[in-house]
Each structure stands twice: as structure tokens, then as C-alpha cells.
């Protein structure tokens, strides 16, 4: 059996990619970080000096942007490549983070990303995290999770992550403002906004550990698999 599709959506820094990776590993499934795809496109657009809100300029750029993933042999997880160049750290910069939601508003960008994302899910056995996976990319996913955490907790998580990974220091209050601004754009955009799918299970992770969240999702997946 090729496995089920699991969609994990939610606002910024709720812990989606961390737990999605763990659940995928435990199930032996493919993991796809769809946020990394939007980030890579944004980085490519900035490099090419494309107007980030211009649909026509982005449409022109898209065919030149190959986004691929490979296992990170040193740190675990995945590395992300733009036209075979490792951009895993570059796409976490503030310049990308604070502009990605502008690029992600554009309809033809979303359509192209969805097409590429569906190719990963063609055989099932996939855990995909993002903003519109349960509502738009995989509306028939067997398991849908909507991960939440308070904005204060999410800012602290991102702050600690920046420190641990040696990324640029951004004060906690500013991180919180940036997260709120990005969430606001993601929740209110016209095309495929961030939204809990009607049949998604909501998990507030504010006071849950990574292990608790991933075990909860893994157990839900097992229930689906043995239903
Ligand atoms: O990791 P973090 O929560 O900071 O964000 P991400 O998952 O890397 O996603 C970056 C941005 O890409 C989001 O803020 C959205 O604007 C966009 N995105 C999207 O529109 N749809 C998705 N399925 C995934 C990400
Ligand atoms: O993918 P998303 O932006 O939703 O979040 P993430 O990048 O997976 O998680 C952001 C940070 O929160 C990471 O450093 C995780 O280790 C941490 N985290 C946590 O402290 N507790 C959780 N329950 C989940 C994630």
C-alpha cells in the first residue's frame, strides 16, 4: 500500500515543518515543505529584480525556477535547491521572510506551485505542510491538521530557532510584529488563503512539546491507516 496523504496547515512558526518531518520519517513517507517553495521563488525573484507583486513578471520568471530538495546529510531534514544551487539558508533571510507573502498572493504563482506540489503526492504516502494544503492542494487528504499556537509562543519559537541556527538576530518584539503581518496577509489574501479546512483537526500546540504534537499526529495517522 502506498500510504495516505497528510496535510498540515497553520500560521507562521506554529511548528508545522518540524512535526511534519518527524511524522513523515516515522511513517516512511515523503515530506514536502511547500513554504520553502514559495520562499525559493521569492528569493529567485529578488535575485532577478522582479517586481514581487507583478503577475506578468512572475509568470515570465517561473519557468526558469527549478526547485528541488535533497536530504540534509549533516543536520537531518532537507536542503532546498534553486537551479541546483543550495539556497536553504538564503531563503530564511529576513528579506525573503518579509516578502514571501506578497509573491504568494499572485494567482498564477499559486497555480504553478500547486501543480508542482501535486506531482509529489501522486502516489500517496506524503506529509505536506503549508497554508492551503487541506483546503486547496490536497482537499481529499485522508488526514488534515490545523496547527495553532499563540503569537507570543510562535515568536519565542522563531527567536530561539534563529539563535540556535546562527541566523541574524531579530528582537523578539519585531519578530512578533513580522509574524503578525505575514499571518494577516496569508489569512486575508484572495486566492487560497490560510484557512482551516472544515474536516481538519485543530491542535493548539502552545503548551505542547514537539514530541507531544508529532505523536498526536502519528497516532491519528495510524487510526486512519487501520480504519
Ligand atoms: O516557516 P514559516 O511558517 O515561517 O513559513 P513557510 O511555511 O516557510 O511559508 C512562507 C510563506 O509562504 C507563508 O507566509 C505564505 O505566504 C506562503 N505559503 C503559502 O502561501 N502557501 C503554502 N502552502 C505555503 C506557504
Ligand atoms: O513550519 P512552521 O513555521 O510552522 O514552524 P517550525 O519551523 O516547524 O517551528 C518553529 C520552531 O518552533 C522550531 O525551532 C521548532 O523546533 C519549534 N517548536 C517548538 O518549540 N515546539 C513545538 N511544539 C513545535 C515547534
Amino acid at each position: 500500500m502506498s500510504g495516505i496523504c497528510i496535510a498540515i496547515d497553520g500560521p507562521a512558526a506554529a511548528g508545522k515543518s518540524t512535526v511534519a518531518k518527524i511524522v513523515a520519517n516515522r511513517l516512511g513517507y515523503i515530506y514536502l515543505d511547500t513554504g520553502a517553495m514559495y520562499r525559493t521563488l521569492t528569493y529567485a525573484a529578488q535575485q532577478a529584480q522582479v517586481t514581487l507583486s507583478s503577475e506578468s513578471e512572475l509568470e515570465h520568471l517561473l519557468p526558469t525556477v527549478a526547485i528541488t530538495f535533497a536530504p540534509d546529510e549533516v543536520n537531518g531534514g532537507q536542503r532546498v535547491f534553486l537551479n541546483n544551487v543550495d539556497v536553504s539558508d538564503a531563503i530564511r533571510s529576513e528579506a525573503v521572510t518579509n516578502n514571501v507573502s506578497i509573491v504568494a498572493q499572485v494567482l498564477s504563482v499559486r497555480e504553478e506551485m500547486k501543480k508542482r506540489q501535486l506531482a509529489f503526492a501522486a502516489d500517496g504516502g506524503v506529509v505536506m505542510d503549508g497554508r492551503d494544503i487541506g483546503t486547496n492542494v490536497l482537499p481529499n487528504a485522508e488526514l488534515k491538521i490545523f496547527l495553532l499556537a499563540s503569537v507570543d509562543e510562535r515568536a519565542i519559537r522563531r527567536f530561539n530557532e534563529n539563535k540556535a541556527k546562527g541566523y541574524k538576530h531579530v528582537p523578539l518584539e519585531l519578530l512578533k510584529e513580522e509574524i503578525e503581518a505575514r499571518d494577516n496577509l496569508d489569512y486575508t489574501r484572495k486566492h487560497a488563503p490560510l484557512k482551516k479546512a472544515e474536516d481538519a483537526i485543530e491542535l493548539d500546540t502552545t503548551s505542547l512539546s514537539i514530541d507531544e504534537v508529532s505523536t498526536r499526529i502519528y497516532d491519528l495517522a495510524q487510526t486512519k491507516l487501520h480504519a
Side-chain angles (χ1 to χ4, degrees), residues 102-189:
I102 296 167
V103 173
Q105 287 181 315
V106 175
L107 180 60
S108 28
V109 164
R110 302 209 67 83
E111 285 174 343
E112 173 64 20
M113 290 297 129
K114 178 176 172 179
K115 203 167 81 190
R116 296 187 192 192
Q117 288 153 13
L118 284 176
F120 283 89
D123 298 324
V126 68
V127 183
M128 221 182 262
D129 85 288
R131 301 293 186 287
D132 64 335
I133 309 305
T135 51
N136 178 47
V137 179
L138 301 173
N140 298 321
E142 286 86 348
L143 178 60
K144 298 181 187 177
I145 305 290
F146 198 73
L147 275 194
L148 289 168
S150 72
V151 68
D152 286 311
E153 171 65 18
R154 292 188 283 125
I156 290 169
R157 287 179 185 175
R158 213 15 75 81
F159 183 84
N160 290 338
E161 185 182 10
N162 283 351
K163 208 155 123 188
K165 292 192 174 160
Y167 292 154
K168 192 179 150 223
H169 170 80
V170 182
L172 184 61
E173 266 313 301
L174 182 56
L175 263 183
K176 185 177 157 187
E177 281 169 27
E178 288 173 358
I179 285 175
E180 282 174 327
R182 189 148 59 92
D183 283 353
N184 185 42
L185 282 176
D186 290 343
Y187 273 118
T188 59
R189 69 172 169 240

Side-chain angles (χ1 to χ4, degrees), residues 34-35 37-43 45 50-63 65 67 99-117 132 136-137 189 191-192:
T34 66
M37 298 174 72
Y38 286 94
R39 284 173 178 272
T40 303
L41 175 63
T42 302
Y43 178 75
V50 159
T51 308
L52 299 182
S53 57
S54 164
E55 183 141 36
S56 58
E57 289 185 39
L58 287 165
E59 272 175 6
H60 198 69
L61 179 75
L62 270 167
V65 174
I67 304 168
N99 286 289
V100 58
S101 294
I102 296 167
V103 173
Q105 287 181 315
V106 175
L107 180 60
S108 28
V109 164
R110 302 209 67 83
E111 285 174 343
E112 173 64 20
M113 290 297 129
K114 178 176 172 179
K115 203 167 81 190
R116 296 187 192 192
Q117 288 153 13
D132 64 335
N136 178 47
V137 179
R189 69 172 169 240
H191 309 294

Side-chain angles (χ1 to χ4, degrees), residues 8 71 95:
I8 303 182

